[in-house]
Amino acid sequence: DEHLTDLGPEWKSMESPEAWRGSIWAIMEFYLTRYMPSNGLIYNKAEALDKQTMIKAATIWSAELLLKDKDIGTLEAEKLADFIVLDKDYFAIPADQVHTLHTLLTVVGGKTVFQSPNF
């Protein structure tokens, strides 16, 4: 639900920081912590997601939303095997550090589509 364009002045308190643009990890961190660094506010902490739920929302449930859950979203036989390699363990780091994750490698259908120079 992250907006891709700037909102009007009445919504400025919910504007995401410029550093978040293009960073799925920073956006995921917001849903884990409900903390908005651009204004220092916590938005309804009771709605924060746990890491397991957040990763499902980004993978399995996103595939379902696209009506592609038979083809993508989980690592199973007969599915397009896409996966990433991260520089840190998503489940081991604190929720407020998820924005520091970096994707080192992305593989889709057995082909490398992104490889960081650091990998």
Side-chain angles (χ1 to χ4, degrees), residues 2-7 12 14-27 38:
E2 171 70 6
H3 48 271
L4 300 177
T5 59
D6 290 333
L7 301 175
K12 281 297 180 193
M14 276 299 292
E15 280 292 321
S16 59
E18 201 54 43
W20 282 19
R21 302 296 160 108
S23 172
I24 187 66
W25 304 114
I27 295 165
S38 58

